[in-house]
Amino acid sequence: MWITLAIVVVLFALIWAVTGRPKGMPPGPTCYPVIGNVGLFKPTEATQAHRKLRQQYGDFYTLMIFHKPVIFISGFHHIRELLVKHGDVFSERPR
């Protein structure tokens, strides 16, 4: 009984560590193992949810879509700085 419980706890901890938010990413809501933040809000309420997340976490925040981090950037000044001043960094699509 105790061995089974220990194995389940260790497996859960490993899954949580592997699928959690990577270090150095902007803050964001707590993500669930494997699915991340999928199901955090309804697709029809996406605009309102992003406004609420922007108020809570600021102009930069991260959502985990399954195990992939997606960084959201808000605010004209930040978007302009990233796309105009640092456009060469973002000009190519990821491979």
Side-chain angles (χ1 to χ4, degrees), residues 9-11 13 18 24 26-27 29 38 41 44 47-48 56 63 66-67 74 76 84-85 90 94:
V9 168
V10 168
L11 285 175
V18 170
V38 173
F41 51 84
T44 57
T47 305
Q48 292 85 3
Q56 188 172 0
L63 291 180
F66 294 101
H67 64 282
S74 303
F76 177 76
V84 175
K85 294 182 181 177
F90 297 103

Side-chain angles (χ1 to χ4, degrees), residues 48-67:
Q48 292 85 3
H50 286 292
R51 285 182 186 145
K52 182 178 176 184
L53 289 170
R54 181 181 179 193
Q55 289 175 346
Q56 188 172 0
Y57 296 108
D59 286 341
F60 296 90
Y61 59 91
T62 305
L63 291 180
M64 298 296 290
I65 307 299
F66 294 101
H67 64 282

Side-chain angles (χ1 to χ4, degrees), residues 65-85:
I65 307 299
F66 294 101
H67 64 282
K68 301 285 184 183
V70 179
I71 299 174
F72 288 84
I73 302 165
S74 303
F76 177 76
H77 174 71
H78 296 297
I79 294 171
R80 181 175 169 82
E81 183 177 341
L82 287 174
L83 295 179
V84 175
K85 294 182 181 177

Side-chain angles (χ1 to χ4, degrees), residues 3 6-7 10 16-17 20-21 25 27 32 35 37-38 40 56 60 66 75 78 81 91 94:
I3 295 174
I7 291 172
V10 168
W16 189 274
R21 177 175 286 106
M25 295 299 233
Y32 298 108
I35 63 168
N37 295 117
V38 173
L40 183 66
Q56 188 172 0
F60 296 90
F66 294 101
H78 296 297
E81 183 177 341
S91 62

